[in-house]
Amino acid sequence: VIFFLEMGLKMLLSGPRSYFVGEEKWWNLFEAALAISSLVDFLLEVVFRSDQNASVSVLRIVRLVRITRLIRVARLAIFSDLVVMIKGSLGGVKTLFWATILICLPLYGFAIFFRLILGPYYEEGWGAEHFVNVQTSFFTL
């Protein structure tokens, strides 16, 4: 009921043409689809209330989609700094990934090298036992 009231109020304030064709038409169509699915879910729940085995909970998953309406809130001016921080964090994760690759590739090469050179002498000691296989030599480095 609340979603239909919100849709009706928006249509009254901006007009039906502006609501479905205007700047935010995709968000408005998305809200209309959510409201209609909520109505269908309610009607199916009322119709199949006596049948406990009826699988009407399929449309309840659609209720989770309503959370995406919060994305619209992120477009407000007060959240602009938060959006910048999130974008920066995602960019930082990408940079961290490539830095990890650039560090691990030479270490892997040296681990193979030390495994080939020192691995056969692991029984003699002197630290060669840490280069028995590639995994332990990579960890040792």
Side-chain angles (χ1 to χ4, degrees), residues 55-125:
S55 178
V56 291
S57 64
V58 175
L59 288 177
R60 290 183 184 175
I61 295 173
V62 177
R63 291 179 185 173
L64 294 175
V65 179
R66 292 181 193 160
I67 295 172
T68 58
R69 292 179 61 175
L70 293 176
I71 295 172
R72 291 181 75 177
V73 174
R75 296 187 317 172
L76 296 175
I78 60 173
F79 292 113
S80 63
D81 292 337
L82 177 64
V83 171
V84 169
M85 287 173 51
I86 290 172
K87 287 181 180 179
S89 297
L90 292 176
V93 168
K94 180 180 166 185
T95 304
L96 180 65
F97 170 75
W98 286 113
T100 304
I101 295 296
L102 287 176
I103 290 171
C104 287
L105 280 177
L107 280 177
Y108 184 70
F110 280 114
I112 292 173
F113 175 74
F114 284 123
R115 164 61 186 102
L116 291 174
I117 301 299
L118 298 174
Y121 303 108
Y122 74 93
E123 292 177 354
E124 297 177 16

Side-chain angles (χ1 to χ4, degrees), residues 5-57:
L5 289 175
E6 180 185 1
M7 274 182 20
L9 186 63
K10 281 184 180 179
M11 277 191 223
L12 261 170
L13 294 175
S14 64
R17 181 174 174 85
S18 174
Y19 185 78
F20 289 111
V21 185
E23 181 179 308
E24 294 188 352
K25 71 176 179 180
W26 295 112
W27 283 110
N28 294 335
L29 289 172
F30 178 67
E31 283 183 355
L34 284 178
I36 291 170
S37 69
S38 176
L39 178 68
V40 168
D41 184 34
F42 176 74
L43 291 175
L44 286 176
E45 192 172 312
V46 168
V47 170
F48 292 112
R49 179 173 283 170
S50 62
D51 188 10
Q52 297 296 329
N53 295 328
S55 178
V56 291
S57 64

